[in-house]
Amino acid sequence: MAMPPPPPPQPVQVNGASHDSDDGGPPSPTVKENLRDVQLKLLTLEYTLRNLSAIAADVQPQGQNDHAQGRAAGKVQEVIEHLMELDVQKDRLTQNIPIDIIKGMDENTNPNRIAKERIENAAVQNQYSYGQILAIQPMSQFLERYKTLTTPAARISLLNAIAIAPPTAIDVHGRIELVNLLLEDLKDTSKFDPNVILSMLVALKTLGRNSLASEIISQKEHLQTLQTLALPSGEVPKEALRCIANALLLVEAGRSNWVSIGGAEGCCRILERECSPDYLFLAARVLFLSTVFQSSFIVRAVESLGAVTVLANKLDALLVDLQHSRPMSKEAMVDALKYTFNLLLQYPRMKHAASGTDSGPSKPNDTEPKPVMGELWDERFAVLLPTLLHLFNSLPQTTGSPLAPPLTHVIHALLNIPIVPNAKVWFPDELQMSQGSQTLQKVRRSLSSRSSPPRSGASTPVAGPATEALRRAYDLLDATLAYFTPGDPDDLEVRAKCKREDVALDDVGPPLALLLANMVRDNEGARGQVKQWLLPVDLDRSQPLEKRADILGRCLRMMASVYFPKLKDSIGEMLFALCNSDANMMGAQLGYGNIAGFLFNKGIMAPPPPPKDSGGAAGDYIPDDPDINPITGSKYKPEGPDPLAGMTDEEKEREAEKLFVLFDRLEKMGMAVNPMRKAQQEGKLEELP
């Protein structure tokens, strides 16, 4: 038996008049007559549709008053009539309905809910605007109020209001005057409560985010005031360091002022004394900004202040903090590595320049090229290499991208350390790992004095496999290319993925490829090992090398990239170094077509001749299979069966006629010249007997 249809909605009477319910009841008496008629007709249509659905669910015997074609057909006819009446009534309405309401109804959303959300959003915007008005109103009175306030509580309240004020709340002149007043009061802190001093520094830090205010803070006399506050320990020194760091970041001239007053030496003592990551971050940030240019402080830091040993100790300690997810440990390590990079870059260059000056003035036509990164070295930095390699091998991946800070900064620092004079640390073999090895004993002594314990399940970091750092670099390059460029590197999705993850692949990728290039160029064992991984003797050359799905294929596809020129060149340098910097060997291994552009950029204009004999070590194997195509580096494809084999002369003639017709059509369309007609006109075709 069919369920009876639901009853039609009944008007709810209030004081003799009906009102709208949340479910859409009858219209209120204030609604215009035409709109009321439409609403009632819609309710009637809804009721009829419900009846139709009940009838369709269970067909009952035809009743006396039913439609001649059945009860369902009768209800369908009623629906059509209601729709026709609505079509007539629509022209009587002049009201406009918001499109959001219509979309909401299509999505089965209650229109009342949309209206409620709009009202709530408007209320939020009104409250925000009202708060801004309240915040701006007293800004014009900040100066006068600051000059007249005497009680600590009132000062703290006003300074907190300055710290949370919007950037545009104070005009330029008012901001500068406030900064001058705060700096003047900070010269004599004995008359202020420590909480007031802290609030003053917080307000100064907020005001100093403007470059004009930072120019005032970065003046020598004001930096000296902040330096005095930054030397002790506690929250007040931290805020003073934040003010200094902001000023040095925004004002380049302030960096030399800071170095000239001895502020960088004080930060060296802070870096050595403190252990908390947030303190180390502030000290390392200021020292990084203090060493972006060459100065006498860099020499003092390396030779007198023990900066290299301090950095090695702090980096090891920060690795432990990072592995335990302690706040600010990542940021502290990043800036400590930036400071390390500056020392590794600047100090050897300064010593090299000083030695050139001591040997005599250079000639005006002296064309000696300037040393590049990694060519100059000083043994004072030897203690840093084991620590940097330990970080390189141990830092966990913290983002989706295999290359992210602080690992990228470790790679930058390692690029400044040459391979040859430190080969025993870069690639320790079994003999060098014995207890009697002086090199290993020196490394272990340097590691034992630091706060970083060995990794669980492992021994001293440098006492691992001889290829640990080499394998790490190779795997990182493989993972990076596989993550970002599994197919065509110039595909639009590759750039979209880099944008989504905020990764500049053409900036973070080249240092890693160059680090691997340095390893294989300057160490024969490393070169042979990577060649076994990348270009083994039994490499499958049955398919084009650039279409392989492994790291070799991705490297060759990257070498043809347009959108990543720096990464393309650095990978080319790595492959060139892997082939003994020999264009002949490189062409034989990879195919001249894959490397022609790279060789052209290096000034190798003509294709290299085919190699006769490698004449090198076993790792310098050159494929000499005659079936290998020298252009592609892969084997020639076997020729397929002759398509004309087994065809009679008549069949061949019919196929030739088909080709002639096709070419004739193309010629008439202006797309091509019929080669058969042209040959016939030139007398190159003869009639067969």
Side-chain angles (χ1 to χ4, degrees), residues 608-679:
K612 298 180 180 179
D613 186 13
S614 63
D620 297 336
Y621 163 78
I622 297 179
D624 55 358
D625 190 341
D627 293 334
I628 294 179
N629 188 333
I631 301 300
T632 63
S634 58
K635 292 186 177 181
Y636 289 103
K637 291 184 178 180
E639 295 183 0
D642 186 1
L644 301 180
M647 296 178 63
T648 64
D649 292 340
E650 291 79 5
E651 291 174 337
K652 294 178 182 179
E653 187 175 352
R654 284 197 298 269
E655 293 298 325
E657 290 177 353
K658 291 180 182 179
L659 287 176
F660 185 86
V661 171
L662 291 174
F663 278 117
D664 191 55
R665 290 178 181 175
L666 291 174
E667 186 177 31
K668 290 178 180 179
M669 296 171 62
M671 299 177 62
V673 176
N674 192 332
M676 301 176 68
R677 187 189 305 278
K678 182 179 180 182

Side-chain angles (χ1 to χ4, degrees), residues 275-277 280 314-334 337 390-392 394-399 404-408 410 452-453 472:
C275 297
S276 63
L280 295 179
K314 297 304 177 182
L315 288 173
D316 276 335
L318 286 171
L319 177 60
V320 178
D321 293 334
L322 185 61
Q323 291 171 339
H324 288 83
S325 301
R326 290 172 184 162
M328 296 300 297
S329 56
K330 177 181 176 180
E331 291 79 3
M333 179 175 286
V334 167
L337 288 168
H390 181 30
L391 295 178
F392 182 65
S394 306
L395 277 174
Q397 183 174 336
T398 57
T399 63
L407 181 59
T408 52
V410 176
S452 175
R472 171 72 163 164

